[in-house]
Amino acid sequence: MLTLGHAQTIAAETLAEGRRLGLAPLACVVLDRGGHILTLLRDENASIYRPEIAMGKAAGCLGMGFGGRELAKRAAAMPMFFNGLQAAFPSGMLPVPGGVLIRDADGGLLGAVGVTGDTSDNDELCALAGIAAAGLHADTGA
Amino acid sequence: MLTLGHAQTIAAETLAEGRRLGLAPLACVVLDRGGHILTLLRDENASIYRPEIAMGKAAGCLGMGFGGRELAKRAAAMPMFFNGLQAAFPSGMLPVPGGVLIRDADGGLLGAVGVTGDTSDNDELCALAGIAAAGLHADTGA
Amino acid sequence: MLTLGHAQTIAAETLAEGRRLGLAPLACVVLDRGGHILTLLRDENASIYRPEIAMGKAAGCLGMGFGGRELAKRAAAMPMFFNGLQAAFPSGMLPVPGGVLIRDADGGLLGAVGVTGDTSDNDELCALAGIAAAGLHADTGA
Amino acid sequence: MLTLGHAQTIAAETLAEGRRLGLAPLACVVLDRGGHILTLLRDENASIYRPEIAMGKAAGCLGMGFGGRELAKRAAAMPMFFNGLQAAFPSGMLPVPGGVLIRDADGGLLGAVGVTGDTSDNDELCALAGIAAAGLHADTGA
């Protein structure tokens, strides 16, 4: 089970990695496997709907069971289906890198991270640093 | 301006106060003055829609410009009006203690906190501890 | 037909009346008879969801065809019906004074004003000043 | 901080510029940096959902932190991501010119303008005239 302690480590280290890399101000949400927020952080200089974007990345991963890179591939192949998912999922669906599933050592699903603020590739890099700092395993869908 | 650092102190100390007092598991959201999340924490044992409750408390305070105790008094006097606000505000409106405005030393509005998980009175006690730990001023509407 | 010029006079004089009376910071919306905004003003010190409240007052009047005072009376008599209206109307329904229909000299419907920020009675006083300044006729539902 | 006075100058001059240029009837919204309306003007001959369009332009800029021209470029490159943003942002997202960030002399973010009614390029021209009239700085994302 993903604890709030895990989630705080993931989110804090995600934003810290962004600062180390000199990225734009980030927001990061960590969801449990039920899709409910454990923690969310938004840099005070990040734009106002970054929480919604972070949610759309993380909840999209949990909603379909794949990391953001696999979702991006599928969205490109089935745009109308993903268009429907974006309207149907209660927190939306943003099928891009920066949405990352969190797994345990056996591959069991624990939750998801959504990061936004810089390029999607950079957002994902920060998520990976956050998940590693918590001693957990990232599934980007690659 | 309320920074993410302020918000993290407020939320972490709010939950810590709940543990010190032996309260039920809490969730706490800290919003900037525009109503946008800076941070949200939900204990992994808190029920799943506690973030929505915390948002409804905090956003209700910002939407009307009063702390939760004043909102509770007004809601009791004008139930139909407040029922309408609950539908009209984008994050809802929960007019009870545990929604607290954050002010600076001059009374300027910085944002709001919403806390939920125990009784509303206890939720508010924890919010007060959190805001005090950040060196800021609480406006409960009392 | 209500012009933007009328609407600007109504809204500007509504807020000016509030300042003359020393009221709390106000927001005021003026809707045409189709329920669409001609102008909206929110004092920069008014709380953030005052536009939503102003809309709920004005659109509620147009939706039912009565000024806010008549709506308040009906809401008290039929609370469950008005509860349903609050969920059903796209901009909500706030059946209180401060929602005022705008009529021409023959009683023809031109639009509606919604004012919020101080007590509902004071909000309405300001709406009356604004409508009078535009040379039009107010229908408060009294 | 963007005042209502600033916002009224911006919106009034935006519509005045449209009349000087002989453009189609315009609507213009000015949002504070939290995305909340300070003022909205819709010409009585502009079509009924112009306020929604103006909101989608302005709120989209604030939500992502870029002017409409940069958003348009990104939307062309990442259509599925922007489609998701359109569903996820509470006031939608219209990534086209005519959404313009308002900045102070130091580049600090003050709010956003959304203009609609004529071509997007012409809408933007009017926004620029409005922002200049208020002595503030426009960020179109170009």
Side-chain angles (χ1 to χ4, degrees), chain A residues 19-80:
Chain A
R19 287 189 296 265
R20 279 190 293 266
L21 297 175
L23 305 186
L26 299 181
C28 173
V29 71
V30 183
L31 306 181
D32 67 18
R33 58 175 292 168
H36 304 289
I37 301 178
L38 285 166
T39 192
L40 190 153
L41 295 178
R42 178 175 64 92
D43 188 288
E44 70 268 16
N45 293 312
S47 58
I48 59 175
Y49 296 145
R50 293 289 166 187
E52 282 78 2
I53 300 174
M55 281 297 296
K57 289 190 180 189
C61 292
L62 287 169
M64 291 295 285
F66 300 107
R69 290 193 177 271
E70 173 68 14
L71 294 179
K73 210 182 310 176
R74 292 180 178 222
M78 296 179 288
M80 185 56 69

Short mmCIF file of all heavy atoms in Angstrom, two decimals, chain A residues 19-80:
data_model
loop_
_atom_site.label_atom_id
_atom_site.label_comp_id
_atom_site.label_asym_id
_atom_site.label_seq_id
_atom_site.Cartn_x
_atom_site.Cartn_y
_atom_site.Cartn_z
N ARG A 19 14.11 21.45 -9.84
CA ARG A 19 14.97 22.61 -9.49
C ARG A 19 16.43 22.30 -9.80
O ARG A 19 17.15 23.16 -10.31
CB ARG A 19 14.78 22.97 -8.01
CG ARG A 19 13.43 23.65 -7.72
CD ARG A 19 13.35 24.19 -6.30
NE ARG A 19 13.40 23.12 -5.32
CZ ARG A 19 12.33 22.54 -4.77
NH1 ARG A 19 11.10 22.93 -5.10
NH2 ARG A 19 12.47 21.56 -3.90
N ARG A 20 16.87 21.07 -9.49
CA ARG A 20 18.27 20.69 -9.81
C ARG A 20 18.55 20.79 -11.30
O ARG A 20 19.63 21.20 -11.71
CB ARG A 20 18.53 19.26 -9.33
CG ARG A 20 18.83 19.12 -7.85
CD ARG A 20 19.34 17.72 -7.48
NE ARG A 20 18.33 16.69 -7.63
CZ ARG A 20 17.52 16.25 -6.65
NH1 ARG A 20 17.60 16.78 -5.44
NH2 ARG A 20 16.64 15.31 -6.87
N LEU A 21 17.56 20.43 -12.11
CA LEU A 21 17.74 20.46 -13.57
C LEU A 21 17.44 21.83 -14.17
O LEU A 21 17.59 22.02 -15.37
CB LEU A 21 16.83 19.41 -14.23
CG LEU A 21 17.10 17.95 -13.85
CD1 LEU A 21 16.05 17.03 -14.48
CD2 LEU A 21 18.50 17.52 -14.31
N GLY A 22 17.01 22.78 -13.34
CA GLY A 22 16.72 24.11 -13.85
C GLY A 22 15.47 24.17 -14.72
O GLY A 22 15.35 25.02 -15.60
N LEU A 23 14.52 23.30 -14.45
CA LEU A 23 13.30 23.25 -15.27
C LEU A 23 12.33 24.35 -14.86
O LEU A 23 12.51 25.03 -13.84
CB LEU A 23 12.61 21.89 -15.11
CG LEU A 23 13.45 20.65 -15.42
CD1 LEU A 23 12.58 19.41 -15.36
CD2 LEU A 23 14.13 20.76 -16.77
N ALA A 24 11.28 24.51 -15.67
CA ALA A 24 10.18 25.42 -15.33
C ALA A 24 9.50 24.93 -14.05
O ALA A 24 9.61 23.76 -13.69
CB ALA A 24 9.18 25.46 -16.49
N PRO A 25 8.78 25.81 -13.35
CA PRO A 25 8.11 25.40 -12.10
C PRO A 25 7.13 24.25 -12.34
O PRO A 25 6.38 24.27 -13.31
CB PRO A 25 7.38 26.67 -11.66
CG PRO A 25 8.06 27.79 -12.36
CD PRO A 25 8.56 27.23 -13.65
N LEU A 26 7.15 23.28 -11.45
CA LEU A 26 6.37 22.04 -11.65
C LEU A 26 5.21 21.91 -10.68
O LEU A 26 5.18 22.54 -9.63
CB LEU A 26 7.28 20.83 -11.45
CG LEU A 26 8.49 20.66 -12.36
CD1 LEU A 26 9.24 19.39 -12.00
CD2 LEU A 26 8.09 20.65 -13.83
N ALA A 27 4.28 21.06 -11.07
CA ALA A 27 3.28 20.52 -10.16
C ALA A 27 3.35 19.01 -10.25
O ALA A 27 3.69 18.46 -11.31
CB ALA A 27 1.88 21.01 -10.51
N CYS A 28 3.05 18.34 -9.13
CA CYS A 28 3.12 16.88 -9.07
C CYS A 28 2.00 16.37 -8.19
O CYS A 28 1.81 16.86 -7.07
CB CYS A 28 4.48 16.48 -8.47
SG CYS A 28 4.62 14.72 -8.14
N VAL A 29 1.27 15.38 -8.69
CA VAL A 29 0.26 14.74 -7.86
C VAL A 29 0.61 13.26 -7.73
O VAL A 29 1.16 12.66 -8.66
CB VAL A 29 -1.16 14.90 -8.47
CG1 VAL A 29 -1.36 14.08 -9.73
CG2 VAL A 29 -2.23 14.55 -7.43
N VAL A 30 0.34 12.71 -6.55
CA VAL A 30 0.51 11.27 -6.32
C VAL A 30 -0.84 10.69 -5.91
O VAL A 30 -1.43 11.12 -4.92
CB VAL A 30 1.56 10.99 -5.22
CG1 VAL A 30 1.77 9.48 -5.07
CG2 VAL A 30 2.88 11.68 -5.54
N LEU A 31 -1.30 9.73 -6.71
CA LEU A 31 -2.60 9.09 -6.47
C LEU A 31 -2.39 7.68 -5.94
O LEU A 31 -1.48 6.97 -6.38
CB LEU A 31 -3.40 9.01 -7.78
CG LEU A 31 -3.61 10.30 -8.56
CD1 LEU A 31 -4.45 10.02 -9.81
CD2 LEU A 31 -4.28 11.36 -7.69
N ASP A 32 -3.28 7.24 -5.05
CA ASP A 32 -3.27 5.84 -4.64
C ASP A 32 -3.90 5.00 -5.75
O ASP A 32 -4.35 5.52 -6.77
CB ASP A 32 -3.96 5.65 -3.29
CG ASP A 32 -5.47 5.92 -3.33
OD1 ASP A 32 -6.08 5.93 -4.42
OD2 ASP A 32 -6.04 6.12 -2.25
N ARG A 33 -3.96 3.69 -5.58
CA ARG A 33 -4.44 2.87 -6.70
C ARG A 33 -5.93 3.02 -6.94
O ARG A 33 -6.44 2.62 -7.99
CB ARG A 33 -4.05 1.40 -6.57
CG ARG A 33 -4.52 0.70 -5.30
CD ARG A 33 -4.15 -0.77 -5.37
NE ARG A 33 -4.93 -1.42 -6.41
CZ ARG A 33 -4.72 -2.63 -6.90
NH1 ARG A 33 -3.71 -3.34 -6.45
NH2 ARG A 33 -5.50 -3.15 -7.81
N GLY A 34 -6.63 3.64 -6.01
CA GLY A 34 -8.03 4.00 -6.23
C GLY A 34 -8.21 5.32 -6.97
O GLY A 34 -9.33 5.75 -7.21
N GLY A 35 -7.10 5.96 -7.32
CA GLY A 35 -7.17 7.21 -8.08
C GLY A 35 -7.39 8.44 -7.21
O GLY A 35 -7.69 9.51 -7.72
N HIS A 36 -7.21 8.28 -5.90
CA HIS A 36 -7.47 9.38 -4.99
C HIS A 36 -6.16 10.02 -4.55
O HIS A 36 -5.18 9.32 -4.28
CB HIS A 36 -8.29 8.89 -3.79
CG HIS A 36 -9.56 8.24 -4.25
ND1 HIS A 36 -10.60 8.97 -4.79
CD2 HIS A 36 -9.93 6.95 -4.33
CE1 HIS A 36 -11.57 8.14 -5.16
NE2 HIS A 36 -11.19 6.91 -4.90
N ILE A 37 -6.20 11.35 -4.42
CA ILE A 37 -4.96 12.08 -4.12
C ILE A 37 -4.42 11.73 -2.75
O ILE A 37 -5.16 11.76 -1.76
CB ILE A 37 -5.22 13.61 -4.16
CG1 ILE A 37 -5.74 14.05 -5.53
CG2 ILE A 37 -3.93 14.37 -3.83
CD1 ILE A 37 -6.06 15.56 -5.61
N LEU A 38 -3.13 11.39 -2.69
CA LEU A 38 -2.43 11.34 -1.41
C LEU A 38 -1.74 12.68 -1.17
O LEU A 38 -1.83 13.23 -0.09
CB LEU A 38 -1.42 10.18 -1.39
CG LEU A 38 -2.05 8.81 -1.21
CD1 LEU A 38 -1.06 7.71 -1.56
CD2 LEU A 38 -2.57 8.63 0.23
N THR A 39 -1.05 13.17 -2.20
CA THR A 39 -0.49 14.51 -2.06
C THR A 39 -0.38 15.19 -3.41
O THR A 39 -0.31 14.53 -4.45
CB THR A 39 0.88 14.51 -1.36
OG1 THR A 39 1.23 15.87 -1.02
CG2 THR A 39 1.98 13.97 -2.27
N LEU A 40 -0.43 16.49 -3.36
CA LEU A 40 -0.25 17.32 -4.55
C LEU A 40 0.61 18.50 -4.15
O LEU A 40 0.41 19.09 -3.08
CB LEU A 40 -1.62 17.79 -5.07
CG LEU A 40 -1.66 18.47 -6.45
CD1 LEU A 40 -3.02 18.27 -7.11
CD2 LEU A 40 -1.33 19.94 -6.40
N LEU A 41 1.57 18.83 -4.98
CA LEU A 41 2.40 20.02 -4.78
C LEU A 41 2.39 20.84 -6.05
O LEU A 41 2.58 20.30 -7.14
CB LEU A 41 3.86 19.63 -4.48
CG LEU A 41 4.19 18.86 -3.21
CD1 LEU A 41 5.69 18.55 -3.17
CD2 LEU A 41 3.78 19.64 -1.96
N ARG A 42 2.18 22.14 -5.90
CA ARG A 42 2.31 23.05 -7.04
C ARG A 42 3.22 24.21 -6.64
O ARG A 42 2.90 24.93 -5.68
CB ARG A 42 0.95 23.60 -7.49
CG ARG A 42 1.08 24.61 -8.68
CD ARG A 42 -0.27 25.08 -9.22
NE ARG A 42 -1.02 25.85 -8.27
CZ ARG A 42 -0.98 27.18 -8.14
NH1 ARG A 42 -0.21 27.91 -8.92
NH2 ARG A 42 -1.70 27.78 -7.23
N ASP A 43 4.31 24.37 -7.36
CA ASP A 43 5.17 25.53 -7.15
C ASP A 43 4.33 26.80 -7.29
O ASP A 43 3.47 26.89 -8.17
CB ASP A 43 6.29 25.52 -8.21
CG ASP A 43 7.34 26.57 -7.95
OD1 ASP A 43 7.03 27.78 -8.15
OD2 ASP A 43 8.46 26.22 -7.56
N GLU A 44 4.56 27.77 -6.42
CA GLU A 44 3.72 28.98 -6.45
C GLU A 44 3.87 29.75 -7.75
O GLU A 44 3.04 30.61 -8.06
CB GLU A 44 4.01 29.88 -5.24
CG GLU A 44 5.36 30.56 -5.24
CD GLU A 44 6.43 29.75 -4.52
OE1 GLU A 44 6.23 28.55 -4.28
OE2 GLU A 44 7.48 30.33 -4.21
N ASN A 45 4.91 29.45 -8.53
CA ASN A 45 5.09 30.10 -9.83
C ASN A 45 4.63 29.24 -11.01
O ASN A 45 4.75 29.66 -12.16
CB ASN A 45 6.56 30.50 -10.02
CG ASN A 45 6.96 31.58 -9.03
OD1 ASN A 45 6.26 32.59 -8.88
ND2 ASN A 45 8.07 31.37 -8.33
N ALA A 46 4.11 28.08 -10.73
CA ALA A 46 3.55 27.24 -11.80
C ALA A 46 2.18 27.79 -12.17
O ALA A 46 1.47 28.36 -11.34
CB ALA A 46 3.45 25.79 -11.35
N SER A 47 1.78 27.59 -13.41
CA SER A 47 0.51 28.19 -13.86
C SER A 47 -0.67 27.50 -13.17
O SER A 47 -0.53 26.42 -12.59
CB SER A 47 0.41 28.16 -15.38
OG SER A 47 0.51 26.85 -15.87
N ILE A 48 -1.83 28.15 -13.23
CA ILE A 48 -2.90 27.83 -12.27
C ILE A 48 -3.56 26.48 -12.51
O ILE A 48 -4.09 25.90 -11.57
CB ILE A 48 -3.98 28.93 -12.22
CG1 ILE A 48 -4.64 29.17 -13.57
CG2 ILE A 48 -3.39 30.20 -11.64
CD1 ILE A 48 -5.80 30.16 -13.53
N TYR A 49 -3.59 25.98 -13.75
CA TYR A 49 -4.26 24.70 -13.95
C TYR A 49 -3.31 23.53 -14.02
O TYR A 49 -3.66 22.45 -14.50
CB TYR A 49 -5.16 24.76 -15.20
CG TYR A 49 -6.30 25.74 -15.06
CD1 TYR A 49 -6.76 26.47 -16.15
CD2 TYR A 49 -6.94 25.96 -13.83
CE1 TYR A 49 -7.80 27.38 -16.03
CE2 TYR A 49 -7.96 26.87 -13.70
CZ TYR A 49 -8.39 27.58 -14.80
OH TYR A 49 -9.42 28.48 -14.68
N ARG A 50 -2.09 23.71 -13.54
CA ARG A 50 -1.15 22.58 -13.49
C ARG A 50 -1.69 21.43 -12.63
O ARG A 50 -1.45 20.27 -12.96
CB ARG A 50 0.22 23.05 -12.99
CG ARG A 50 0.93 23.99 -13.95
CD ARG A 50 1.43 23.29 -15.19
NE ARG A 50 1.83 24.23 -16.25
CZ ARG A 50 2.17 23.86 -17.48
NH1 ARG A 50 2.19 22.58 -17.82
NH2 ARG A 50 2.49 24.75 -18.38
N PRO A 51 -2.43 21.70 -11.55
CA PRO A 51 -2.99 20.55 -10.82
C PRO A 51 -3.94 19.72 -11.69
O PRO A 51 -3.91 18.48 -11.64
CB PRO A 51 -3.74 21.21 -9.65
CG PRO A 51 -2.99 22.48 -9.39
CD PRO A 51 -2.58 22.95 -10.77
N GLU A 52 -4.75 20.38 -12.52
CA GLU A 52 -5.66 19.65 -13.41
C GLU A 52 -4.86 18.82 -14.41
O GLU A 52 -5.25 17.69 -14.76
CB GLU A 52 -6.57 20.63 -14.15
CG GLU A 52 -7.73 21.16 -13.32
CD GLU A 52 -7.37 22.27 -12.33
OE1 GLU A 52 -6.19 22.69 -12.29
OE2 GLU A 52 -8.27 22.73 -11.61
N ILE A 53 -3.76 19.38 -14.91
CA ILE A 53 -2.95 18.65 -15.89
C ILE A 53 -2.29 17.44 -15.24
O ILE A 53 -2.30 16.34 -15.78
CB ILE A 53 -1.89 19.59 -16.52
CG1 ILE A 53 -2.58 20.77 -17.23
CG2 ILE A 53 -1.00 18.82 -17.50
CD1 ILE A 53 -1.62 21.84 -17.76
N ALA A 54 -1.74 17.66 -14.04
CA ALA A 54 -1.10 16.55 -13.32
C ALA A 54 -2.11 15.44 -13.06
O ALA A 54 -1.82 14.24 -13.23
CB ALA A 54 -0.49 17.06 -12.01
N MET A 55 -3.33 15.82 -12.66
CA MET A 55 -4.39 14.83 -12.43
C MET A 55 -4.72 14.08 -13.71
O MET A 55 -4.91 12.86 -13.70
CB MET A 55 -5.66 15.53 -11.93
CG MET A 55 -5.66 15.90 -10.47
SD MET A 55 -5.56 14.46 -9.34
CE MET A 55 -7.12 13.61 -9.72
N GLY A 56 -4.84 14.79 -14.82
CA GLY A 56 -5.19 14.14 -16.08
C GLY A 56 -4.13 13.14 -16.53
O GLY A 56 -4.45 12.12 -17.14
N LYS A 57 -2.88 13.45 -16.20
CA LYS A 57 -1.82 12.50 -16.55
C LYS A 57 -1.89 11.26 -15.66
O LYS A 57 -1.84 10.12 -16.15
CB LYS A 57 -0.43 13.16 -16.41
CG LYS A 57 -0.12 14.22 -17.48
CD LYS A 57 1.35 14.63 -17.38
CE LYS A 57 1.72 15.69 -18.43
NZ LYS A 57 3.19 15.93 -18.48
N ALA A 58 -1.97 11.48 -14.35
CA ALA A 58 -1.90 10.36 -13.41
C ALA A 58 -3.17 9.52 -13.47
O ALA A 58 -3.11 8.27 -13.50
CB ALA A 58 -1.67 10.89 -11.99
N ALA A 59 -4.32 10.17 -13.49
CA ALA A 59 -5.58 9.43 -13.49
C ALA A 59 -5.78 8.68 -14.82
O ALA A 59 -6.37 7.60 -14.84
CB ALA A 59 -6.76 10.38 -13.24
N GLY A 60 -5.29 9.26 -15.90
CA GLY A 60 -5.36 8.56 -17.18
C GLY A 60 -4.61 7.24 -17.14
O GLY A 60 -5.07 6.23 -17.67
N CYS A 61 -3.43 7.26 -16.50
CA CYS A 61 -2.65 6.02 -16.38
C CYS A 61 -3.40 4.97 -15.59
O CYS A 61 -3.48 3.80 -15.99
CB CYS A 61 -1.30 6.32 -15.70
SG CYS A 61 -0.19 7.32 -16.69
N LEU A 62 -3.96 5.37 -14.45
CA LEU A 62 -4.70 4.41 -13.63
C LEU A 62 -5.97 3.94 -14.32
O LEU A 62 -6.37 2.79 -14.22
CB LEU A 62 -5.06 5.04 -12.28
CG LEU A 62 -3.90 5.20 -11.30
CD1 LEU A 62 -4.34 6.06 -10.12
CD2 LEU A 62 -3.39 3.84 -10.81
N GLY A 63 -6.59 4.86 -15.02
CA GLY A 63 -7.86 4.53 -15.68
C GLY A 63 -7.71 3.45 -16.73
O GLY A 63 -8.62 2.63 -16.92
N MET A 64 -6.56 3.45 -17.42
CA MET A 64 -6.33 2.46 -18.49
C MET A 64 -5.35 1.37 -18.07
O MET A 64 -5.26 0.34 -18.73
CB MET A 64 -5.80 3.17 -19.74
CG MET A 64 -6.81 4.06 -20.41
SD MET A 64 -8.21 3.12 -21.08
CE MET A 64 -7.42 2.39 -22.55
N GLY A 65 -4.57 1.61 -17.00
CA GLY A 65 -3.62 0.60 -16.55
C GLY A 65 -2.29 0.61 -17.29
O GLY A 65 -1.58 -0.40 -17.30
N PHE A 66 -1.96 1.76 -17.89
CA PHE A 66 -0.68 1.87 -18.62
C PHE A 66 -0.01 3.20 -18.27
O PHE A 66 -0.70 4.19 -17.99
CB PHE A 66 -0.91 1.84 -20.13
CG PHE A 66 -1.55 0.59 -20.63
CD1 PHE A 66 -2.87 0.59 -21.05
CD2 PHE A 66 -0.83 -0.60 -20.69
CE1 PHE A 66 -3.47 -0.57 -21.50
CE2 PHE A 66 -1.43 -1.77 -21.15
CZ PHE A 66 -2.76 -1.75 -21.56
N GLY A 67 1.31 3.21 -18.36
CA GLY A 67 2.05 4.47 -18.21
C GLY A 67 1.81 5.38 -19.40
O GLY A 67 1.33 4.95 -20.46
N GLY A 68 2.18 6.65 -19.24
CA GLY A 68 1.87 7.68 -20.22
C GLY A 68 2.47 7.43 -21.61
O GLY A 68 1.88 7.84 -22.62
N ARG A 69 3.62 6.76 -21.68
CA ARG A 69 4.22 6.53 -23.01
C ARG A 69 3.39 5.51 -23.82
O ARG A 69 3.24 5.67 -25.04
CB ARG A 69 5.66 6.04 -22.88
CG ARG A 69 6.57 7.14 -22.39
CD ARG A 69 8.05 6.84 -22.52
NE ARG A 69 8.75 8.04 -22.06
CZ ARG A 69 9.08 9.06 -22.86
NH1 ARG A 69 8.80 9.03 -24.13
NH2 ARG A 69 9.69 10.12 -22.35
N GLU A 70 2.88 4.51 -23.15
CA GLU A 70 2.03 3.55 -23.85
C GLU A 70 0.71 4.21 -24.23
O GLU A 70 0.17 3.99 -25.33
CB GLU A 70 1.77 2.32 -22.97
CG GLU A 70 0.77 1.32 -23.52
CD GLU A 70 1.25 0.59 -24.78
OE1 GLU A 70 2.46 0.65 -25.08
OE2 GLU A 70 0.41 -0.03 -25.48
N LEU A 71 0.19 5.05 -23.35
CA LEU A 71 -1.06 5.77 -23.67
C LEU A 71 -0.86 6.67 -24.88
O LEU A 71 -1.74 6.76 -25.74
CB LEU A 71 -1.51 6.61 -22.47
CG LEU A 71 -1.94 5.85 -21.22
CD1 LEU A 71 -2.34 6.84 -20.12
CD2 LEU A 71 -3.09 4.88 -21.49
N ALA A 72 0.29 7.34 -24.95
CA ALA A 72 0.55 8.24 -26.08
C ALA A 72 0.55 7.45 -27.39
O ALA A 72 0.01 7.90 -28.40
CB ALA A 72 1.89 8.96 -25.88
N LYS A 73 1.15 6.27 -27.36
CA LYS A 73 1.21 5.43 -28.56
C LYS A 73 -0.20 5.01 -28.98
O LYS A 73 -0.57 5.06 -30.15
CB LYS A 73 2.07 4.20 -28.25
CG LYS A 73 2.80 3.64 -29.45
CD LYS A 73 3.60 2.38 -29.10
CE LYS A 73 4.51 2.55 -27.87
NZ LYS A 73 5.18 1.28 -27.51
N ARG A 74 -0.98 4.59 -28.00
CA ARG A 74 -2.35 4.14 -28.30
C ARG A 74 -3.23 5.32 -28.77
O ARG A 74 -4.10 5.14 -29.63
CB ARG A 74 -2.97 3.48 -27.08
CG ARG A 74 -2.29 2.16 -26.74
CD ARG A 74 -2.91 1.49 -25.53
NE ARG A 74 -2.25 0.22 -25.29
CZ ARG A 74 -2.86 -0.91 -24.96
NH1 ARG A 74 -4.17 -0.91 -24.78
NH2 ARG A 74 -2.19 -2.03 -24.77
N ALA A 75 -3.02 6.47 -28.14
CA ALA A 75 -3.83 7.64 -28.53
C ALA A 75 -3.55 8.02 -29.98
O ALA A 75 -4.46 8.43 -30.71
CB ALA A 75 -3.54 8.82 -27.60
N ALA A 76 -2.29 7.88 -30.39
CA ALA A 76 -1.95 8.20 -31.78
C ALA A 76 -2.62 7.22 -32.74
O ALA A 76 -3.02 7.59 -33.85
CB ALA A 76 -0.42 8.17 -31.97
N ALA A 77 -2.78 5.98 -32.30
CA ALA A 77 -3.38 4.96 -33.17
C ALA A 77 -4.91 4.99 -33.13
O ALA A 77 -5.57 4.60 -34.09
CB ALA A 77 -2.89 3.56 -32.76
N MET A 78 -5.46 5.47 -32.03
CA MET A 78 -6.93 5.44 -31.86
C MET A 78 -7.41 6.79 -31.33
O MET A 78 -7.95 6.88 -30.22
CB MET A 78 -7.31 4.35 -30.85
CG MET A 78 -6.97 2.93 -31.30
SD MET A 78 -7.43 1.72 -30.04
CE MET A 78 -6.17 2.05 -28.79
N PRO A 79 -7.26 7.84 -32.12
CA PRO A 79 -7.54 9.17 -31.58
C PRO A 79 -8.99 9.36 -31.15
O PRO A 79 -9.24 10.03 -30.14
CB PRO A 79 -7.17 10.12 -32.74
CG PRO A 79 -7.09 9.25 -33.95
CD PRO A 79 -6.70 7.89 -33.49
N MET A 80 -9.94 8.79 -31.87
CA MET A 80 -11.33 9.01 -31.50
C MET A 80 -11.66 8.33 -30.17
O MET A 80 -12.40 8.86 -29.35
CB MET A 80 -12.25 8.50 -32.62
CG MET A 80 -13.72 8.78 -32.39
SD MET A 80 -14.09 10.53 -32.15
CE MET A 80 -13.75 11.17 -33.78
#
